[in-house]
Amino acid sequence: MKVFISVDMEGISGLVRWADVATRGIDYPRNRRLMTEDVNAAVEGALAGGATEVVVEENHGVEDLCNLLMDEIHPDCRVVRGAGRPGATTMAALDASVGVVLLVGHHGRAGSFPGIMAHTISYGGFKLVRLAGEPIGEADFFALRAGELGVPVGMISGDQVVAAQVAAICPWVEQAIVKEALGNQAGNCLAPVRARGLIEAAARRAVERARAGALGLYRGVVPPYHLEVELRDAIADDMRRNVTSLAGFSIVDDRTIAVEAPDMALAFRRVAYLGYADRPGVTRH
Ligand SMILES: [Zn+2]
């Protein structure tokens, strides 16, 4: 069975504040190692659970989505990284050949409190992203895309908030809660070396259960999708010009943009575009 691991940084063991996951942070170089070790634990668990192939895809938007330490990555996986990927942005390697999706180091959706570094796609720009009127996060995009492809989401690692949010839509999901969120930039953390044991065990159980056909599919919302991105600031002139020139986007009010998409791959890509659509003349997405 082929296993797809999406790795983000905000939900990695031991990390609680924005400076932990940004280039300028004093601990960022060390935290890349913590991220790599959480991934390696998931790969090890997946292989122990019967995975025959493991693909890891980086989802953290710092340093052009290259945050793992490639010289320390588990030898028995491949890694998809870097910006400008074809297809569904950071789900480029997620297709129907995958047997189960594991979400490692993911975080709660925008608007969550507590929720360590909770946001949806854009760190500073998006106040809320709604699908069919309900707030959603990155884990929801992954679960919906996986559901479209007939692939279950089998595991989540991160804080208790993202774990509960994923469990609410995928009640079969294995949870590795590596830290308890106390706010948006504070948490009560397990020692990463212990947390890795939880991640490895959860990944193993997820793959074993996937192989046994014991996981479900999430198909919570039926396409075509109607999303709304509520910005923190009023829509700037350049963004307005860019967005109104493109199909699939419309202005709702001075800080809300509606996005229509036939599938979650394009929905994810279009919402991600709004994170940089304020650059003059940038209409490629
Ligand atoms: Zn991230």
Side-chain angles (χ1 to χ4, degrees):
M1 171 174 283
K2 181 173 170 182
V3 174
F4 174 89
I5 298 176
S6 169
V7 57
D8 210 339
M9 199 163 187
E10 292 83 349
I12 292 299
S13 305
L15 310 188
V16 298
R17 61 183 183 135
W18 289 113
D20 284 339
V21 302
T23 309
R24 62 182 162 77
I26 190 170
D27 289 326
Y28 170 75
R30 306 171 69 117
N31 295 340
R32 296 176 65 194
R33 174 162 296 115
L34 297 181
M35 182 186 188
T36 305
E37 291 292 345
D38 275 11
V39 168
N40 287 349
V43 174
E44 193 61 34
L47 293 168
T52 52
E53 187 181 345
V54 181
V55 180
V56 175
E57 182 152 352
E58 295 205 34
N59 188 57
H60 186 57
V62 163
E63 290 296 328
D64 303 318
L65 300 114
C66 294
N67 294 276
L68 292 172
L69 297 174
M70 291 302 284
D71 53 347
E72 295 185 18
I73 201 74
H74 196 295
D76 298 321
C77 67
R78 296 183 66 93
V79 178
V80 179
R81 62 202 313 248
R85 296 171 208 167
T89 311
T90 56
M91 298 189 264
L94 176 55
D95 60 29
S97 72
V98 169
V100 61
V101 169
L102 312 182
L103 302 175
V104 171
H106 274 251
H107 50 81
R109 60 178 72 110
S112 304
F113 190 91
I116 293 175
M117 293 180 266
H119 69 282
T120 300
I121 300 181
S122 171
Y123 308 122
F126 300 171
K127 188 175 178 203
L128 217 54
V129 177
R130 288 183 293 265
L131 171 65
E134 297 294 323
I136 63 164
E138 290 161 44
D140 299 86
F141 279 99
F142 277 84
L144 284 158
R145 179 61 179 156
E148 286 177 348
L149 295 166
V151 180
V153 173
M155 182 208 145
I156 173 74
S157 82
D159 66 14
Q160 84 280 16
V161 175
V162 70
Q165 290 175 356
V166 175
I169 59 172
C170 303
W172 51 83
V173 77
E174 295 287 345
Q175 304 175 36
I177 298 173
V178 300
K179 52 194 176 185
E180 181 195 357
L182 302 175
N184 285 139
Q185 293 198 78
N188 181 339
C189 304
L190 284 175
V193 71
R194 291 270 180 264
R196 286 168 210 155
L198 293 186
I199 292 169
E200 183 176 339
R204 177 181 184 148
R205 286 194 303 269
V207 175
E208 285 172 349
R209 289 174 60 209
R211 291 174 59 223
L215 302 177
L217 289 178
Y218 178 56
R219 291 201 170 105
V221 180
V222 180
Y225 299 111
H226 175 80
L227 299 104
E228 285 185 349
V229 177
E230 188 182 330
L231 305 174
R232 285 191 196 280
D233 301 319
I235 301 168
D237 289 351
D238 283 315
M239 181 181 272
R240 187 177 293 268
R241 280 189 202 101
N242 289 340
V243 162
T244 51
S245 73
L246 295 168
F249 298 89
S250 56
I251 307 282
V252 178
D253 59 38
D254 71 333
R255 57 186 63 210
T256 308
I257 298 171
V259 175
E260 312 291 333
D263 58 47
M264 266 299 138
L266 195 53
F268 192 63
R269 199 167 181 88
R270 285 182 170 162
V271 173
Y273 164 69
L274 292 178
Y276 57 88
D278 56 349
R279 298 176 201 167
V282 175
T283 53
R284 207 177 64 82
H285 64 288

